[in-house]
Amino acid sequence: MAGPTAPEARGTDFRPPRIGVRRLNQDPPLSRRLTRPSEVRRLIRELDLRPSRGRGQNFLIDANILRCVIDSAGLEDGDGVLEIGPGLGALTAGLLERGGRVTAIEKDGRLADHLRRLMPDRRALHVRTEDALETDFGELFRASVCRVAANLPYSVGTRILVRIVDAEPRPETVAVMLQLETARRIAAAPGSSDYGPLAVRTTAFFESALVKTVSATCFYPRPEVRSAVLRLVRRDTPAIRSDAYPRLVEILRSAFSQRRKKLSNTLPDLDLRAVGIDPELRPHRVPPGDWYRLAERALHA
Ligand code: SAM
């Protein structure tokens, strides 16, 4: 019996194999295959990657959680979506499969190159090798990007989220995986121990919801912390005047830097009673609306 036929001899439709290139609409879809632990391990070997803790390189290996992030983003066909830290590309593929036009920002050059090779449709995907802490998000949101979907690197997740909340203009929806502790602080209600500047600042522009807590077993390698999917939906009208927002940030910093102290001690120069705040309160008891009124009034004081 003859040995294996040389590919060139098989017929005219032969195309040379392109290593690492996959088709999006295969069955199962690429996003699902990229969440398989065996595939993640294979790609890590192929790329000679040592997943870095400092860069929060914990790759999602659970297709249901991936779908939860995409659903939470409320993506519609043709929407421009920003992904931060695409890594091996599972979420990127999922967003493309839903018809998103994806701008992906990845700091690790090997992963960014891998993504450019992996995804066949260049028109719907723009990969930028860049530190998301330096990205001008406002510029992206002013252009055509209206949503954010990401599995954020833990080490810088809070800083990236704050930069998105502070961006001008802001995206319509944000669906992110991040450390559970951070998600709780953002979605916290007044009076709880998690409530603080993060919740007050975010609530000024977004309604937030902690959608799902996520176990460390959903990632490879496993992180040491638990995670959560957080959803933010932009308010039609911000709850604070935009010119008072910088003042709000300063006031919150002063009040919460000593959260056990009464406001009469930490904010002695502000007329708290004028906006109905009891100076005997500690800062975590003050609801967001009172902080916004205080900041707006302090502008004119
Ligand atoms: N999206 C992939 C997934 O869900 O499996 C990977 C998520 S992994 C938690 C975080 C990704 O963010 C990694 O690919 C890492 O290289 C990247 N990253 C870390 N710091 C970054 C930064 N400052 N800017 C952009 N990307 C960063």
Side-chain angles (χ1 to χ4, degrees), residues 54-60 66 83-91 105-108 111 130-133 151-156 160:
R55 288 199 175 168
Q57 289 174 334
N58 306 96
F59 304 104
L60 199 52
L66 185 92
E83 185 188 0
I84 295 154
L88 296 171
L91 181 56
I105 296 186
E106 172 59 62
K107 186 172 177 181
D108 189 320
L111 289 170
E130 187 174 305
D131 183 340
L133 289 172
N151 174 12
L152 291 175
Y154 296 112
S155 46
V156 288
I160 289 175

Side-chain angles (χ1 to χ4, degrees), residues 40-266:
V40 168
R41 280 196 294 269
R42 188 186 71 74
L43 282 170
I44 286 174
R45 265 198 318 275
E46 193 175 291
L47 297 171
D48 197 20
L49 197 76
R50 276 178 232 299
S52 150
R53 209 204 232 170
R55 288 199 175 168
Q57 289 174 334
N58 306 96
F59 304 104
L60 199 52
I61 51 168
D62 186 306
N64 292 328
I65 302 293
L66 185 92
R67 205 168 44 239
C68 173
V69 176
I70 297 173
D71 289 345
S72 300
L75 194 66
E76 288 175 17
D77 199 25
D79 278 351
V81 54
L82 166 67
E83 185 188 0
I84 295 154
L88 296 171
L91 181 56
T92 322
L95 295 166
L96 292 168
E97 285 156 9
R98 291 275 184 102
R101 288 180 297 105
V102 183
T103 301
I105 296 186
E106 172 59 62
K107 186 172 177 181
D108 189 320
R110 283 165 306 176
L111 289 170
D113 288 343
H114 151 77
L115 211 64
R116 291 185 189 103
R117 283 196 305 271
L118 181 74
M119 301 297 174
D121 188 352
R122 302 283 157 77
R123 287 161 307 170
L125 174 66
H126 179 209
V127 182
R128 285 168 44 169
T129 311
E130 187 174 305
D131 183 340
L133 289 172
E134 286 168 13
T135 301
D136 182 347
F137 290 130
E139 188 190 329
L140 287 173
F141 302 143
R142 247 188 315 280
S144 57
V145 174
C146 61
R147 305 189 192 278
V148 177
N151 174 12
L152 291 175
Y154 296 112
S155 46
V156 288
T158 311
R159 285 163 68 197
I160 289 175
L161 200 76
V162 168
R163 295 189 77 242
I164 292 170
V165 167
D166 286 0
E168 287 268 12
R170 296 174 176 84
E172 283 175 35
T173 57
V174 178
V176 284
M177 173 91 70
L178 71 183
Q179 198 171 334
L180 175 60
E181 184 192 279
T182 310
R184 282 191 173 138
R185 281 165 58 211
I186 290 164
S192 75
S193 58
D194 290 322
Y195 178 71
L198 260 184
V200 180
R201 287 171 68 168
T202 307
T203 304
F205 306 103
F206 296 94
E207 297 206 24
S208 60
L210 199 161
V211 180
K212 197 175 187 54
T213 57
V214 179
S215 146
T217 57
C218 297
F219 304 91
Y220 181 84
R222 284 186 196 185
E224 281 165 6
V225 292
R226 282 206 294 161
S227 308
V229 178
L230 178 84
R231 177 175 57 221
L232 306 179
V233 177
R234 192 181 66 200
R235 296 180 185 285
D236 291 338
T237 312
I240 187 168
R241 273 176 39 194
S242 63
D243 58 348
Y245 184 68
R247 190 74 180 99
L248 174 77
V249 173
E250 288 169 10
I251 291 173
L252 292 172
R253 195 168 292 139
S254 305
F256 281 93
S257 61
Q258 303 178 76
R259 42 185 307 139
R260 286 168 185 279
K261 288 208 171 167
K262 294 176 184 170
L263 297 172
S264 53
N265 291 317
T266 52

